Amino acid sequence: MKLRKIFAAASVFFIAFTCAAPVSVFAAEEYEVRAPHMYAHAYAVMDANTGEVLFGENVDKKIYPASTAKLMSAIVAVESDTPLDTVIKTKGKIVHSSTPGTYCLGMNGGEKYTLSALLNMSLIASAADATDTMAVGLYGSRADFAKKMNEKTAELGLTKTSFDNPVGSDIGGGFKHTYSTAREMSEIARYAMSLETIRKITAKSHYTIKGTGSQSGRQISNTNWFYTQMPYNDNYFTIIGSKTGTTNAAGHVFIATAIDDDGHELICSYFGKESKASTFSSINSLLTYAFKQYKKGNLTLSRGAYNIRYDEDSLAYTRSMDAEIFSQDSSGCVALDETITQEQAAGMIEAVLAPELSGTRINSYFDQVSASSASCDSDYISTALATALPGIEKTAPVKEAIESLPETITIQNAAHLTAVAAHNFSLYEMSFPTYEMRSVQEDNLVPFMSTFEFSD
């Protein structure tokens, strides 16, 4: 339950941090807590597990992503289905023609690096020559690679983002169609950090280049200063990755991903107007503010795990993790194939479906579901679901989900069934008798069953 909502700050009276000069808020937006005013083109703080922007300024204003665009380049590369050990040969005309002003490692033509090495060089050192080599090696040209970036942008439903090159060059380099917003770059980072390969690379403070050529054996440092030279409030959170960027049009950019000890993960996309040091300092302040507000009970955060963030059944996972039915494993994932117990399954049914009952007059019978620590099978979970909300198992989508269950039920199986029930709750609500007919009476101990004839 959200405790309170107030409008985001629109004047200097809401300044939470010391800033060099005030700047007007692009658009007021309703948040649970006030949005601290920052000296930035824009910023957004997002709950990585739900995708909700918790607070921010100018979150939908057009900005330039600079090298944070390489997160989308990495997404395209990882999802190209090209094995990470695939060797890509550099081309002189490509590595010597990167956009002026971009950082390059100094590769020469004819050198050989694996896709994995190129991804590390791109995301850790922000190397344009490595990124362009990867783009051309995978899709033949920078332009064709950029088309793939835009296809993924459209797939994610991002309408205010465009790319016309792999490295994040913008109007300052003559590229007029690379732009985004703080909200949409946060969503791109959220997606990128759900991919294990990207998550592991951006977590590294250093990387030793492997390959055949001038850069082989060279150690590069992450441009994420939180790993190397900038302190942050590690009493509240741990920085686990994402990407920096800098151009004249973009300013000093960093999209930070942070997680607390309870598995709450936040993304802060910040497009600073001052210096790189100021950007990192401001992000530390914003993340500290967010986690402090959560600790005080003023801000709602969700638990989650990165491997189910974009799963079609993510609603069931998130609600179950918030209810502490199960949690992340040691790697930060949900162990999808782990067998769920009867107690966990019963808890999941209530955690997932109880919110759907809010605002209705439908009776629930969660307390009548008996459970033990034994492993859950298909008979148990279907019976438990029918007991908790009698009749819901008769709706066509839920019936189909029940029929497709295997004998032994895993966390993934239980999540799918309960998510289907939640997503089709409106159908359930419309398909069965009114509240009076649902109620338990002396002569109607099983609601629905004695008042309504179901058709198979």
Side-chain angles (χ1 to χ4, degrees):
M1 179 68 68
K2 294 186 177 181
L3 301 178
R4 61 189 180 92
K5 288 190 174 184
I6 59 175
F7 280 104
S11 72
V12 293
F13 296 106
F14 289 127
I15 295 176
F17 305 107
T18 303
C19 302
V23 62
S24 62
V25 177
F26 182 73
E29 185 162 343
E30 204 172 60
Y31 301 120
E32 285 185 76
V33 296
R34 69 185 184 187
H37 173 65
M38 309 300 290
Y39 189 61
H41 295 293
Y43 79 84
V45 176
M46 175 181 281
D47 185 329
N49 294 318
T50 64
E52 178 188 5
V53 173
L54 302 171
F55 57 88
E57 284 187 306
N58 299 341
V59 296
D60 294 312
K61 178 184 177 181
K62 180 180 180 180
I63 52 83
Y64 300 100
S67 285
T68 61
K70 293 186 178 80
L71 287 171
M72 181 55 83
S73 296
I75 291 169
V76 169
V78 170
E79 295 191 340
S80 69
D81 292 328
T82 304
L84 293 176
D85 60 358
T86 299
V87 175
I88 296 175
K89 189 175 181 180
T90 62
K91 297 180 179 180
K93 65 179 181 179
I94 298 300
V95 296
H96 296 146
S97 64
S98 292
T99 308
T102 56
Y103 174 73
C104 293
L105 288 169
M107 293 177 170
N108 298 311
E111 299 179 355
K112 296 179 181 180
Y113 303 96
T114 63
L115 175 57
S116 176
L118 293 171
L119 279 165
N120 275 272
M121 289 183 268
S122 177
L123 292 173
I124 293 175
S126 200
D129 47 2
T131 308
D132 282 339
T133 294
M134 178 177 72
V136 174
L138 292 177
Y139 287 105
S141 71
R142 295 180 178 99
D144 285 342
F145 189 87
K147 287 180 183 178
K148 293 293 183 180
M149 295 169 74
N150 288 324
E151 287 174 10
K152 189 65 184 183
T153 296
E155 181 186 314
L156 293 175
L158 307 179
T159 61
K160 298 181 179 180
T161 298
S162 173
F163 300 103
D164 58 2
N165 68 93
V167 302
S169 294
D170 52 41
I171 54 173
F175 292 89
K176 298 180 180 180
H177 299 288
T178 286
Y179 52 81
S180 188
T181 68
R183 185 194 302 274
E184 295 198 352
M185 285 308 301
S186 297
E187 184 60 40
I188 288 171
R190 177 176 179 244
Y191 187 88
M193 293 297 286
S194 73
L195 302 178
E196 184 179 17
T197 297
I198 297 175
R199 195 174 180 95
K200 286 183 175 180
I201 290 174
T202 62
K204 299 175 185 176
S205 60
H206 297 85
Y207 172 72
T208 300
I209 298 172
K210 302 174 181 66
T212 303
S214 63
Q215 305 306 310
S216 182
R218 177 178 174 180
Q219 187 182 74
I220 53 176
S221 298
N222 201 314
T223 55
N224 177 354
W225 279 6
F226 283 136
Y227 291 160
T228 55
Q229 57 186 290
M230 286 289 290
Y232 65 86
N233 200 339
D234 56 8
N235 291 323
Y236 284 90
F237 58 89
T238 300
I239 298 292
I240 59 171
S242 289
K243 186 73 185 69
T244 61
T246 304
T247 68
N248 290 334
H252 295 275
V253 185
F254 183 43
I255 305 178
T257 303
I259 194 168
D260 70 3
D261 291 339
D262 295 322
H264 302 109
E265 190 170 317
L266 300 185
I267 292 168
C268 181
S269 296
Y270 191 92
F271 301 83
K273 289 184 176 180
E274 293 184 284
S275 63
K276 187 172 180 178
S278 174
T279 288
F280 278 84
S281 177
S282 296
I283 289 172
N284 178 51
S285 296
L286 289 167
L287 290 172
T288 300
Y289 172 74
F291 283 112
K292 278 187 175 181
Q293 291 300 312
Y294 164 71
K295 292 288 188 182
K296 291 178 180 178
N298 298 329
L299 186 63
T300 304
L301 301 180
S302 291
R303 290 182 174 88
Y306 73 85
N307 65 320
I308 50 84
R309 192 169 293 165
Y310 288 88
D311 192 290
E312 62 179 355
D313 303 323
S314 59
L315 174 76
Y317 291 114
T318 300
R319 288 181 178 176
S320 299
M321 293 182 77
D322 282 342
E324 300 184 346
I325 306 302
F326 55 83
S327 59
Q328 298 173 345
D329 62 22
S330 59
S331 65
C333 300
V334 170
L336 301 177
D337 295 332
E338 183 176 297
T339 301
I340 197 169
T341 67
Q342 291 184 7
E343 292 172 335
Q344 289 175 315
M348 181 183 287
I349 290 170
E350 181 172 4
V352 175
L353 293 176
E356 305 307 317
L357 293 166
S358 177
T360 75
R361 300 183 68 194
I362 298 175
N363 285 339
S364 63
Y365 302 94
F366 299 121
D367 58 348
Q368 295 183 22
V369 179
S370 60
S372 72
S373 58
S375 295
C376 176
D377 59 22
S378 57
D379 287 340
Y380 174 81
I381 197 168
S382 56
T383 301
L385 183 63
T387 302
L389 282 181
I392 196 169
E393 78 285 359
K394 295 290 186 177
T395 59
V398 177
K399 183 178 180 181
E400 182 180 347
I402 289 173
E403 290 174 348
S404 66
L405 287 172
E407 180 59 32
T408 301
I409 304 301
T410 64
I411 289 176
Q412 186 173 32
N413 301 142
H416 180 64
L417 177 60
T418 52
V420 168
H423 289 316
N424 290 279
F425 185 80
S426 58
L427 176 63
Y428 168 67
E429 191 173 10
M430 291 186 296
S431 299
F432 295 98
T434 61
Y435 169 76
E436 289 75 19
M437 297 179 74
R438 298 175 196 272
S439 300
V440 176
Q441 307 293 336
E442 285 187 16
D443 59 347
N444 181 20
L445 299 178
V446 183
F448 297 114
M449 299 308 171
S450 57
T451 60
F452 189 83
E453 183 177 347
F454 297 104
S455 60
D456 294 327

